[in-house]
Amino acid sequence: MDNKPKIEPHSWTGPEYDHTQKNIDWLWTVGLISIIGFILTIIFKSYVFGIFILVSGGTLIFFSIRNPQELSFTLTDESIVIEGKDFPYKKLKGFKIKENESGNKLLIMTDAHFLPVITLPIPKDASQNAYNILIQFIPELNLEESPSMKFMEKLGF
């Protein structure tokens, strides 16, 4: 007999990242810094790093202009499903729901070595239901967003 609790799947949607509108001065600044960095790497004969700087600057500009996609999130009795990709509870170490005035975030600690904490947006009205489901399968931990994620948010990325 299976002792796992059976639950009704709980779903919500949210943006893939918090989008802040950038003004034209910000875009010009990133572009100019990228071009100056590229020119300096050419002077110092570091061609691969120069290409990396150009690609990074272009990617940064692209993602600052692009609006985030709306993703679907589902909690089932076996896993967390993010846009069709399963994250089984047995591979998750814990979770934390961070409440903010701008919107709640669900932090999930995975067993991955690179980027172990996944941050998901969660509506305030779905937070309690998600907590009640997750606490049955994985422990609540005192998780924080990574310092690099906090730094990028402060910069407006």
Side-chain angles (χ1 to χ4, degrees):
M1 194 140 153
D2 192 10
N3 289 336
K4 287 184 183 176
K6 294 292 181 192
I7 61 164
E8 280 294 313
H10 177 66
S11 298
W12 72 92
T13 60
E16 63 182 316
Y17 57 88
D18 290 333
H19 182 72
T20 54
Q21 197 66 30
K22 309 291 187 289
N23 63 24
I24 195 71
D25 293 337
W26 188 92
L27 297 173
W28 274 104
T29 302
V30 171
L32 284 173
I33 289 171
S34 299
I35 291 170
I36 291 169
F38 176 73
I39 291 169
L40 288 173
T41 59
I42 297 304
I43 291 170
F44 292 111
K45 296 182 170 59
S46 182
Y47 307 112
V48 174
F49 188 55
I51 293 170
F52 172 75
I53 288 175
L54 280 182
V55 170
S56 298
T59 302
L60 195 56
I61 290 170
F62 173 75
F63 276 102
S64 67
I65 295 171
R66 176 182 166 267
N67 288 325
Q69 294 179 5
E70 196 74 12
L71 301 179
S72 65
F73 307 97
T74 305
L75 303 177
T76 69
D77 54 2
E78 304 225 342
S79 64
I80 298 173
V81 182
I82 303 171
E83 204 58 31
K85 182 174 177 70
D86 276 343
F87 292 88
Y89 293 128
K90 63 184 175 193
K91 293 192 174 199
L92 302 177
K93 295 181 179 179
F95 77 99
K96 177 74 175 178
I97 296 178
K98 295 291 245 182
E99 297 180 3
N100 296 328
E101 50 284 337
S102 61
N104 294 352
K105 294 180 181 179
L106 172 58
L107 306 175
I108 303 166
M109 174 67 86
T110 67
D111 61 357
H113 295 293
F114 183 70
L115 299 174
V117 178
I118 299 172
T119 305
L120 309 176
I122 185 167
K124 291 182 184 218
D125 60 342
S127 296
Q128 187 60 47
N129 198 6
Y131 177 87
N132 293 338
I133 293 169
L134 290 171
I135 200 70
Q136 297 177 49
F137 302 103
I138 54 178
E140 182 177 18
L141 302 175
N142 190 16
L143 296 175
E144 293 290 329
E145 286 183 277
S146 69
S148 60
M149 187 74 135
K150 287 181 181 178
F151 178 70
M152 295 299 275
E153 284 179 359
K154 285 188 191 270
L155 291 177
F157 294 109

